[in-house]
Amino acid sequence: MSVSRKSVFSGALALTLLATSGYLTVELRRRAEQPVAAAAPLVAHATHQAAGAAPQAGTYRYERLAAPDRTVVRDAGGAVLATLTDKARTAVLTGPGRVFAEPGTTSATVTGDSWVRLLPQPWRAGAEGEAWFRTWFQQSLGSTADDVLAIATQYMAGAAPEKDAKGVRYRGDASFGPINPDGSTGQDFRLEQTDFFDYLGIPYTFADKATKQPDKTRYGAFDCSGFVRMVYGYRSGYPLLSKDVAGAGLARSANGLARFSPGVPVLPLTTLPGSDVTVRPASIDALQPGDLVFFEIDTRTGARLDHTGIFLGIDTDGHPRYISSREEADGPTFGDKGGTARLDDNGMYAKGLRSAKRL
């Protein structure tokens, strides 16, 4: 994908970014006080479990917060166990510490104890008293089974391949797409419009009943929205749509995901008065791991949002990082090849950030 840098943001934006960075540094220090696993060459998961049995449901405390409306679950000592956002299926649970690393493209690592999983249905205030939630929470709290963040890192460079019982490779090092015969380095070098089923090499029937066939030349690849659909849809179970339409599923493109798909707009898309020009959010404090982030970085697409990824967390330098499938890196990365994957600097992606959604 060819990308052109937007015009330099105003001094007010620079001050906003500096303030955001300061906030995130405090957040990193808080997390640093919690035990995490040692770094590894690619992705490391902590293998230890919290000592003792999980607390009984009666010892949980449920606190209501706003912006966005959500329920925070705390243990008897006040420690946060889960964050559940109204109208969203994405839940963030506290679990064993772990480290995500990509030494080939960045010296920064992302450490933390956040585990992102999908609820069986969207959260609503008071659902903690319902049987479906109690069952799900008991099974999910403390689980180290692959979550959204772990799945997202299973397609980076060097990730080991793995096949399912039918012989379909469902994880492993992914490409962005085939080489564009009319492209050049930095100028549409690889073709877009490669979806998750192309990576898999199998036909797929979507929630809207359409069936699509894979392109053999795109096997083992997906573009930025195809990556999100692989992680949240095929691997995690969120319904998928075959095209960019509003409905109870994830649309095909970054623009469709941002404008049409279900979810809670934690960083609402904002346009300048009297125009369709979109602007960067004034603050990114509301982001939590697992949120989808959306960008406008290609001047040729106008107001259309043309890139998307998944917010991964705070890196070891105190900066927010996201993971996405990029042409320059030829696949999923949270590193800095072809532009930093930070959301708080003056890089192309940080300046191009436009909105975020919690599925």
Side-chain angles (χ1 to χ4, degrees):
M1 172 177 66
S2 173
V3 291
S4 302
R5 293 179 179 270
K6 296 293 182 180
S7 58
V8 177
F9 273 35
S10 66
L13 173 59
L15 291 174
T16 298
L17 293 177
L18 287 172
T20 300
S21 177
Y23 167 84
L24 293 168
T25 300
V26 172
E27 172 66 9
L28 176 69
R29 288 170 181 166
R30 183 190 69 80
R31 289 179 177 273
E33 295 173 356
Q34 303 169 351
V36 296
L42 185 62
V43 179
H45 288 228
T47 57
H48 66 274
Q49 298 284 346
Q56 297 300 310
T59 66
Y60 300 150
R61 195 154 51 86
Y62 298 87
E63 178 183 1
R64 290 291 293 170
L65 299 175
D69 292 340
R70 62 198 187 277
T71 299
V72 172
V73 186
R74 298 181 183 274
D75 66 16
V80 174
L81 300 179
T83 300
L84 312 162
T85 303
D86 291 7
K87 300 181 181 181
R89 288 183 58 191
T90 301
V92 176
L93 305 172
T94 300
R98 56 183 174 175
V99 177
F100 297 114
E102 192 180 348
T105 60
T106 180
S107 60
T109 61
V110 176
T111 70
D113 57 7
S114 295
W115 294 69
V116 180
R117 303 192 184 280
L118 287 183
L119 291 159
Q121 58 184 269
W123 179 255
R124 64 183 184 282
E128 61 268 20
E130 300 177 10
W132 71 265
F133 173 72
R134 292 196 298 268
T135 299
W136 177 87
F137 195 50
Q138 188 68 27
Q139 294 172 345
S140 301
L141 185 63
S143 170
T144 56
D146 286 347
D147 72 327
V148 166
L149 304 185
I151 292 170
T153 61
Q154 289 170 1
Y155 299 94
M156 298 192 305
E162 190 167 332
K163 295 182 179 180
D164 63 20
K166 295 182 179 180
V168 176
R169 186 185 68 170
Y170 65 92
R171 58 176 284 185
D173 191 336
S175 171
F176 180 83
I179 293 176
N180 181 0
D182 299 318
S184 59
T185 301
Q187 296 291 326
D188 299 326
F189 183 67
R190 291 187 177 274
L191 295 172
E192 292 191 76
Q193 301 185 17
T194 302
D195 208 352
F196 72 95
F197 60 89
D198 293 308
Y199 175 94
L200 297 168
I202 58 173
Y204 189 84
T205 299
F206 293 86
D208 53 12
K209 308 305 182 184
T211 299
K212 290 197 172 184
Q213 301 293 327
D215 182 339
K216 292 182 179 180
T217 67
R218 297 170 184 260
Y219 177 70
F222 38 57
D223 60 19
C224 63
S225 52
F227 170 62
V228 167
R229 283 154 64 85
M230 171 66 88
V231 174
Y232 264 107
Y234 187 79
R235 294 288 306 277
S236 301
Y238 206 99
L240 294 164
L241 302 177
S242 64
K243 53 188 176 182
D244 277 353
V245 292
L250 302 183
R252 170 60 187 97
S253 71
N255 192 66
L257 287 167
R259 298 180 187 272
F260 305 136
S261 293
V264 178
V266 291
L267 301 181
L269 183 62
T270 303
T271 58
L272 294 177
S275 75
D276 63 353
V277 176
T278 58
V279 296
R280 179 188 160 93
S283 170
I284 63 172
D285 291 356
L287 283 177
Q288 70 178 23
D291 288 346
L292 301 188
V293 285
F294 302 97
F295 306 82
E296 186 201 343
I297 54 176
D298 190 337
T299 57
R300 300 171 302 178
T301 62
R304 181 181 176 85
L305 301 179
D306 45 57
H307 190 63
T308 184
I310 300 170
F311 180 55
L312 195 57
I314 310 301
D315 70 19
T316 45
D317 296 322
H319 303 293
R321 282 192 178 262
Y322 80 102
I323 183 170
S324 68
S325 184
R326 295 197 211 166
E327 174 189 335
E328 298 86 352
D330 191 23
T333 181
F334 64 85
D336 301 325
K337 184 176 182 179
T340 62
R342 285 171 46 183
L343 298 177
D344 66 341
D345 62 3
N346 288 317
M348 174 177 62
Y349 292 101
K351 291 194 292 185
L353 178 67
R354 291 295 180 266
S355 66
K357 176 177 289 186
R358 191 166 299 158
L359 294 179

Short mmCIF file of all heavy atoms in Angstrom, two decimals, residues 130-178:
data_model
loop_
_atom_site.label_atom_id
_atom_site.label_comp_id
_atom_site.label_asym_id
_atom_site.label_seq_id
_atom_site.Cartn_x
_atom_site.Cartn_y
_atom_site.Cartn_z
N GLU A 130 -26.41 -13.07 36.21
CA GLU A 130 -26.99 -14.06 35.31
C GLU A 130 -26.09 -15.29 35.18
O GLU A 130 -24.86 -15.18 35.23
CB GLU A 130 -27.26 -13.43 33.96
CG GLU A 130 -28.25 -12.26 34.06
CD GLU A 130 -28.48 -11.56 32.74
OE1 GLU A 130 -28.03 -12.08 31.69
OE2 GLU A 130 -29.10 -10.48 32.75
N ALA A 131 -26.72 -16.44 34.99
CA ALA A 131 -25.99 -17.71 34.99
C ALA A 131 -24.94 -17.78 33.89
O ALA A 131 -23.84 -18.30 34.09
CB ALA A 131 -26.97 -18.87 34.84
N TRP A 132 -25.27 -17.25 32.69
CA TRP A 132 -24.32 -17.34 31.58
C TRP A 132 -23.01 -16.65 31.93
O TRP A 132 -21.94 -17.15 31.59
CB TRP A 132 -24.91 -16.74 30.31
CG TRP A 132 -25.05 -15.24 30.30
CD1 TRP A 132 -26.15 -14.51 30.63
CD2 TRP A 132 -24.04 -14.28 29.95
NE1 TRP A 132 -25.91 -13.16 30.52
CE2 TRP A 132 -24.62 -12.99 30.09
CE3 TRP A 132 -22.71 -14.38 29.53
CZ2 TRP A 132 -23.91 -11.82 29.84
CZ3 TRP A 132 -22.00 -13.20 29.27
CH2 TRP A 132 -22.60 -11.94 29.42
N PHE A 133 -23.09 -15.49 32.60
CA PHE A 133 -21.87 -14.78 32.95
C PHE A 133 -21.09 -15.50 34.03
O PHE A 133 -19.86 -15.61 33.95
CB PHE A 133 -22.17 -13.35 33.39
CG PHE A 133 -20.94 -12.65 33.90
CD1 PHE A 133 -19.94 -12.26 33.01
CD2 PHE A 133 -20.74 -12.44 35.26
CE1 PHE A 133 -18.78 -11.64 33.48
CE2 PHE A 133 -19.60 -11.83 35.72
CZ PHE A 133 -18.62 -11.43 34.83
N ARG A 134 -21.76 -15.97 35.04
CA ARG A 134 -21.07 -16.67 36.13
C ARG A 134 -20.29 -17.87 35.61
O ARG A 134 -19.15 -18.12 36.01
CB ARG A 134 -22.07 -17.09 37.21
CG ARG A 134 -22.69 -15.93 37.97
CD ARG A 134 -23.35 -16.39 39.26
NE ARG A 134 -24.43 -17.33 39.01
CZ ARG A 134 -25.71 -16.98 38.85
NH1 ARG A 134 -26.05 -15.70 38.90
NH2 ARG A 134 -26.65 -17.89 38.65
N THR A 135 -20.91 -18.61 34.68
CA THR A 135 -20.23 -19.77 34.08
C THR A 135 -19.02 -19.33 33.27
O THR A 135 -17.91 -19.87 33.41
CB THR A 135 -21.19 -20.56 33.18
OG1 THR A 135 -22.27 -21.05 33.98
CG2 THR A 135 -20.48 -21.73 32.53
N TRP A 136 -19.21 -18.32 32.42
CA TRP A 136 -18.12 -17.82 31.58
C TRP A 136 -16.97 -17.28 32.42
O TRP A 136 -15.80 -17.57 32.16
CB TRP A 136 -18.63 -16.74 30.64
CG TRP A 136 -17.56 -16.13 29.78
CD1 TRP A 136 -17.12 -16.58 28.57
CD2 TRP A 136 -16.76 -14.98 30.10
NE1 TRP A 136 -16.11 -15.78 28.11
CE2 TRP A 136 -15.86 -14.79 29.03
CE3 TRP A 136 -16.73 -14.10 31.17
CZ2 TRP A 136 -14.94 -13.76 29.00
CZ3 TRP A 136 -15.81 -13.06 31.15
CH2 TRP A 136 -14.93 -12.89 30.08
N PHE A 137 -17.29 -16.51 33.44
CA PHE A 137 -16.26 -15.88 34.26
C PHE A 137 -15.44 -16.92 35.03
O PHE A 137 -14.21 -16.84 35.11
CB PHE A 137 -16.92 -14.90 35.23
CG PHE A 137 -15.95 -13.95 35.87
CD1 PHE A 137 -15.05 -13.22 35.10
CD2 PHE A 137 -15.96 -13.75 37.24
CE1 PHE A 137 -14.17 -12.32 35.68
CE2 PHE A 137 -15.08 -12.86 37.84
CZ PHE A 137 -14.18 -12.15 37.06
N GLN A 138 -16.12 -17.93 35.55
CA GLN A 138 -15.42 -18.99 36.27
C GLN A 138 -14.44 -19.72 35.35
O GLN A 138 -13.33 -20.08 35.76
CB GLN A 138 -16.43 -19.98 36.86
CG GLN A 138 -15.83 -21.03 37.79
CD GLN A 138 -15.30 -20.43 39.08
OE1 GLN A 138 -15.77 -19.39 39.54
NE2 GLN A 138 -14.30 -21.08 39.67
N GLN A 139 -14.85 -19.92 34.09
CA GLN A 139 -13.99 -20.63 33.14
C GLN A 139 -12.86 -19.75 32.61
O GLN A 139 -11.79 -20.26 32.26
CB GLN A 139 -14.83 -21.13 31.96
CG GLN A 139 -15.85 -22.20 32.33
CD GLN A 139 -16.80 -22.52 31.19
OE1 GLN A 139 -16.89 -21.78 30.21
NE2 GLN A 139 -17.50 -23.64 31.30
N SER A 140 -13.09 -18.45 32.54
CA SER A 140 -12.15 -17.56 31.87
C SER A 140 -11.12 -16.92 32.78
O SER A 140 -9.97 -16.70 32.38
CB SER A 140 -12.92 -16.46 31.14
OG SER A 140 -13.82 -17.01 30.19
N LEU A 141 -11.51 -16.58 34.00
CA LEU A 141 -10.59 -15.90 34.91
C LEU A 141 -9.41 -16.82 35.25
O LEU A 141 -9.61 -17.92 35.75
CB LEU A 141 -11.31 -15.48 36.18
CG LEU A 141 -10.48 -14.66 37.17
CD1 LEU A 141 -10.05 -13.34 36.54
CD2 LEU A 141 -11.27 -14.40 38.45
N GLY A 142 -8.22 -16.38 34.96
CA GLY A 142 -7.02 -17.16 35.23
C GLY A 142 -6.64 -18.12 34.12
O GLY A 142 -5.56 -18.72 34.16
N SER A 143 -7.48 -18.26 33.07
CA SER A 143 -7.14 -19.15 31.97
C SER A 143 -5.96 -18.59 31.17
O SER A 143 -5.86 -17.39 30.94
CB SER A 143 -8.35 -19.30 31.04
OG SER A 143 -7.99 -19.98 29.85
N THR A 144 -5.07 -19.49 30.75
CA THR A 144 -3.96 -19.09 29.88
C THR A 144 -4.12 -19.65 28.47
O THR A 144 -3.16 -19.67 27.70
CB THR A 144 -2.62 -19.56 30.48
OG1 THR A 144 -2.68 -20.97 30.70
CG2 THR A 144 -2.33 -18.86 31.79
N ALA A 145 -5.34 -20.08 28.12
CA ALA A 145 -5.61 -20.46 26.74
C ALA A 145 -5.43 -19.23 25.85
O ALA A 145 -5.57 -18.09 26.31
CB ALA A 145 -7.03 -21.00 26.62
N ASP A 146 -5.11 -19.45 24.57
CA ASP A 146 -4.88 -18.33 23.66
C ASP A 146 -6.02 -17.31 23.72
O ASP A 146 -7.19 -17.67 23.59
CB ASP A 146 -4.74 -18.83 22.22
CG ASP A 146 -3.42 -19.53 21.96
OD1 ASP A 146 -2.52 -19.43 22.81
OD2 ASP A 146 -3.31 -20.18 20.91
N ASP A 147 -5.66 -16.05 23.91
CA ASP A 147 -6.64 -14.97 23.89
C ASP A 147 -6.40 -14.12 22.64
O ASP A 147 -5.57 -14.46 21.79
CB ASP A 147 -6.54 -14.12 25.16
CG ASP A 147 -5.27 -13.27 25.18
OD1 ASP A 147 -4.23 -13.71 24.65
OD2 ASP A 147 -5.32 -12.16 25.74
N VAL A 148 -7.12 -13.02 22.51
CA VAL A 148 -7.01 -12.17 21.32
C VAL A 148 -5.58 -11.69 21.09
O VAL A 148 -5.07 -11.71 19.96
CB VAL A 148 -7.98 -10.98 21.44
CG1 VAL A 148 -7.66 -9.91 20.39
CG2 VAL A 148 -9.42 -11.44 21.28
N LEU A 149 -4.90 -11.26 22.15
CA LEU A 149 -3.55 -10.72 21.99
C LEU A 149 -2.56 -11.81 21.60
O LEU A 149 -1.69 -11.59 20.75
CB LEU A 149 -3.10 -10.04 23.28
CG LEU A 149 -4.02 -8.92 23.82
CD1 LEU A 149 -3.38 -8.25 25.03
CD2 LEU A 149 -4.33 -7.90 22.74
N ALA A 150 -2.66 -12.98 22.22
CA ALA A 150 -1.78 -14.08 21.85
C ALA A 150 -2.00 -14.50 20.41
O ALA A 150 -1.05 -14.73 19.65
CB ALA A 150 -2.01 -15.27 22.79
N ILE A 151 -3.26 -14.60 20.01
CA ILE A 151 -3.58 -14.98 18.63
C ILE A 151 -2.99 -13.98 17.65
O ILE A 151 -2.42 -14.35 16.62
CB ILE A 151 -5.11 -15.10 18.44
CG1 ILE A 151 -5.65 -16.29 19.24
CG2 ILE A 151 -5.47 -15.25 16.97
CD1 ILE A 151 -7.16 -16.33 19.32
N ALA A 152 -3.11 -12.69 17.96
CA ALA A 152 -2.61 -11.65 17.06
C ALA A 152 -1.11 -11.80 16.80
O ALA A 152 -0.63 -11.52 15.70
CB ALA A 152 -2.91 -10.27 17.63
N THR A 153 -0.34 -12.24 17.81
CA THR A 153 1.10 -12.36 17.64
C THR A 153 1.51 -13.66 16.97
O THR A 153 2.70 -13.86 16.69
CB THR A 153 1.80 -12.25 19.01
OG1 THR A 153 1.36 -13.32 19.86
CG2 THR A 153 1.49 -10.92 19.68
N GLN A 154 0.57 -14.55 16.70
CA GLN A 154 0.90 -15.85 16.11
C GLN A 154 1.06 -15.79 14.59
O GLN A 154 1.20 -16.83 13.94
CB GLN A 154 -0.19 -16.86 16.48
CG GLN A 154 -0.16 -17.25 17.95
CD GLN A 154 -1.37 -18.04 18.38
OE1 GLN A 154 -2.26 -18.35 17.59
NE2 GLN A 154 -1.42 -18.41 19.66
N TYR A 155 1.07 -14.56 14.02
CA TYR A 155 1.24 -14.41 12.57
C TYR A 155 2.42 -13.51 12.23
O TYR A 155 2.64 -13.20 11.06
CB TYR A 155 -0.05 -13.83 11.97
CG TYR A 155 -1.24 -14.74 12.21
CD1 TYR A 155 -2.08 -14.54 13.30
CD2 TYR A 155 -1.49 -15.82 11.37
CE1 TYR A 155 -3.15 -15.39 13.54
CE2 TYR A 155 -2.57 -16.67 11.60
CZ TYR A 155 -3.39 -16.45 12.68
OH TYR A 155 -4.44 -17.30 12.91
N MET A 156 3.20 -13.12 13.23
CA MET A 156 4.36 -12.26 12.99
C MET A 156 5.48 -13.05 12.33
O MET A 156 5.45 -14.29 12.27
CB MET A 156 4.84 -11.63 14.29
CG MET A 156 3.80 -10.73 14.95
SD MET A 156 4.46 -9.73 16.32
CE MET A 156 5.18 -10.95 17.38
N ALA A 157 6.48 -12.34 11.85
CA ALA A 157 7.62 -12.98 11.19
C ALA A 157 8.26 -14.01 12.11
O ALA A 157 8.55 -13.72 13.28
CB ALA A 157 8.65 -11.93 10.78
N GLY A 158 8.45 -15.21 11.61
CA GLY A 158 9.07 -16.27 12.38
C GLY A 158 8.12 -17.10 13.21
O GLY A 158 8.55 -18.07 13.84
N ALA A 159 6.84 -16.73 13.24
CA ALA A 159 5.87 -17.50 14.03
C ALA A 159 5.73 -18.91 13.46
O ALA A 159 5.63 -19.09 12.24
CB ALA A 159 4.53 -16.80 14.05
N ALA A 160 5.70 -19.90 14.34
CA ALA A 160 5.65 -21.29 13.90
C ALA A 160 4.29 -21.64 13.31
O ALA A 160 3.26 -21.24 13.85
CB ALA A 160 5.95 -22.21 15.08
N PRO A 161 4.26 -22.39 12.21
CA PRO A 161 2.98 -22.81 11.62
C PRO A 161 2.33 -23.91 12.43
O PRO A 161 3.01 -24.68 13.12
CB PRO A 161 3.38 -23.31 10.23
CG PRO A 161 4.78 -23.78 10.41
CD PRO A 161 5.41 -22.86 11.41
N GLU A 162 1.01 -23.97 12.37
CA GLU A 162 0.27 -25.04 13.02
C GLU A 162 -0.98 -25.33 12.22
O GLU A 162 -1.64 -24.40 11.72
CB GLU A 162 -0.09 -24.67 14.45
CG GLU A 162 -0.64 -25.83 15.26
CD GLU A 162 -0.70 -25.56 16.75
OE1 GLU A 162 0.11 -24.75 17.24
OE2 GLU A 162 -1.57 -26.14 17.42
N LYS A 163 -1.31 -26.61 12.07
CA LYS A 163 -2.48 -27.01 11.29
C LYS A 163 -3.55 -27.61 12.20
O LYS A 163 -3.24 -28.16 13.26
CB LYS A 163 -2.08 -28.03 10.23
CG LYS A 163 -1.14 -27.48 9.16
CD LYS A 163 -0.82 -28.52 8.11
CE LYS A 163 0.10 -27.95 7.03
NZ LYS A 163 0.42 -28.95 5.98
N ASP A 164 -4.81 -27.51 11.74
CA ASP A 164 -5.89 -28.11 12.51
C ASP A 164 -6.08 -29.57 12.11
O ASP A 164 -5.29 -30.12 11.32
CB ASP A 164 -7.19 -27.32 12.34
CG ASP A 164 -7.70 -27.30 10.90
OD1 ASP A 164 -7.30 -28.17 10.09
OD2 ASP A 164 -8.52 -26.41 10.59
N ALA A 165 -7.11 -30.21 12.63
CA ALA A 165 -7.33 -31.64 12.38
C ALA A 165 -7.60 -31.94 10.91
O ALA A 165 -7.40 -33.07 10.46
CB ALA A 165 -8.50 -32.14 13.23
N LYS A 166 -8.04 -30.93 10.15
CA LYS A 166 -8.32 -31.11 8.73
C LYS A 166 -7.12 -30.77 7.85
O LYS A 166 -7.22 -30.78 6.62
CB LYS A 166 -9.52 -30.26 8.32
CG LYS A 166 -10.82 -30.69 9.00
CD LYS A 166 -11.98 -29.84 8.52
CE LYS A 166 -13.29 -30.28 9.18
NZ LYS A 166 -14.44 -29.45 8.72
N GLY A 167 -6.00 -30.44 8.48
CA GLY A 167 -4.80 -30.12 7.71
C GLY A 167 -4.73 -28.69 7.24
O GLY A 167 -3.87 -28.34 6.42
N VAL A 168 -5.60 -27.81 7.75
CA VAL A 168 -5.59 -26.40 7.36
C VAL A 168 -4.64 -25.63 8.27
O VAL A 168 -4.77 -25.67 9.50
CB VAL A 168 -7.01 -25.79 7.47
CG1 VAL A 168 -6.97 -24.30 7.16
CG2 VAL A 168 -7.96 -26.51 6.53
N ARG A 169 -3.67 -24.96 7.66
CA ARG A 169 -2.77 -24.12 8.45
C ARG A 169 -3.53 -22.89 8.91
O ARG A 169 -3.93 -22.05 8.10
CB ARG A 169 -1.56 -23.70 7.64
CG ARG A 169 -0.52 -22.95 8.49
CD ARG A 169 0.62 -22.42 7.67
NE ARG A 169 0.22 -21.34 6.78
CZ ARG A 169 1.07 -20.59 6.10
NH1 ARG A 169 2.37 -20.82 6.17
NH2 ARG A 169 0.63 -19.63 5.30
N TYR A 170 -3.74 -22.75 10.21
CA TYR A 170 -4.55 -21.66 10.73
C TYR A 170 -3.71 -20.61 11.46
O TYR A 170 -4.23 -19.56 11.86
CB TYR A 170 -5.63 -22.19 11.68
CG TYR A 170 -5.10 -22.83 12.94
CD1 TYR A 170 -4.94 -22.07 14.10
CD2 TYR A 170 -4.76 -24.18 12.98
CE1 TYR A 170 -4.46 -22.64 15.27
CE2 TYR A 170 -4.28 -24.76 14.14
CZ TYR A 170 -4.14 -23.99 15.28
OH TYR A 170 -3.65 -24.57 16.42
N ARG A 171 -2.42 -20.87 11.66
CA ARG A 171 -1.53 -19.90 12.28
C ARG A 171 -0.13 -20.08 11.72
O ARG A 171 0.19 -21.09 11.10
CB ARG A 171 -1.52 -20.06 13.80
CG ARG A 171 -1.10 -21.43 14.27
CD ARG A 171 -1.02 -21.52 15.79
NE ARG A 171 0.19 -20.87 16.30
CZ ARG A 171 0.55 -20.89 17.58
NH1 ARG A 171 -0.22 -21.46 18.49
NH2 ARG A 171 1.67 -20.30 17.97
N GLY A 172 0.71 -19.07 11.95
CA GLY A 172 2.07 -19.09 11.43
C GLY A 172 2.37 -17.84 10.63
O GLY A 172 1.46 -17.12 10.21
N ASP A 173 3.65 -17.56 10.43
CA ASP A 173 4.16 -16.39 9.71
C ASP A 173 3.29 -16.04 8.50
O ASP A 173 3.12 -16.85 7.59
CB ASP A 173 5.59 -16.68 9.26
CG ASP A 173 6.31 -15.45 8.74
OD1 ASP A 173 5.64 -14.51 8.30
OD2 ASP A 173 7.55 -15.45 8.77
N ALA A 174 2.73 -14.83 8.48
CA ALA A 174 1.84 -14.40 7.40
C ALA A 174 2.47 -13.28 6.59
O ALA A 174 3.21 -12.44 7.12
CB ALA A 174 0.50 -13.93 7.96
N SER A 175 2.15 -13.25 5.31
CA SER A 175 2.54 -12.17 4.42
C SER A 175 1.41 -11.15 4.34
O SER A 175 0.28 -11.43 4.77
CB SER A 175 2.84 -12.73 3.03
OG SER A 175 3.03 -11.68 2.08
N PHE A 176 1.69 -9.97 3.80
CA PHE A 176 0.66 -8.96 3.59
C PHE A 176 -0.15 -9.25 2.34
O PHE A 176 -1.36 -9.04 2.29
CB PHE A 176 1.29 -7.57 3.48
CG PHE A 176 0.30 -6.46 3.27
CD1 PHE A 176 -0.38 -5.90 4.35
CD2 PHE A 176 0.03 -5.97 1.99
CE1 PHE A 176 -1.31 -4.89 4.15
CE2 PHE A 176 -0.89 -4.96 1.79
CZ PHE A 176 -1.56 -4.41 2.87
N GLY A 177 0.53 -9.73 1.32
CA GLY A 177 -0.13 -10.02 0.05
C GLY A 177 0.91 -10.24 -1.03
O GLY A 177 2.10 -10.02 -0.83
N PRO A 178 0.48 -10.71 -2.22
CA PRO A 178 1.43 -10.97 -3.30
C PRO A 178 2.07 -9.70 -3.83
O PRO A 178 1.52 -8.60 -3.68
CB PRO A 178 0.57 -11.65 -4.36
CG PRO A 178 -0.82 -11.20 -4.07
CD PRO A 178 -0.91 -11.02 -2.59
#
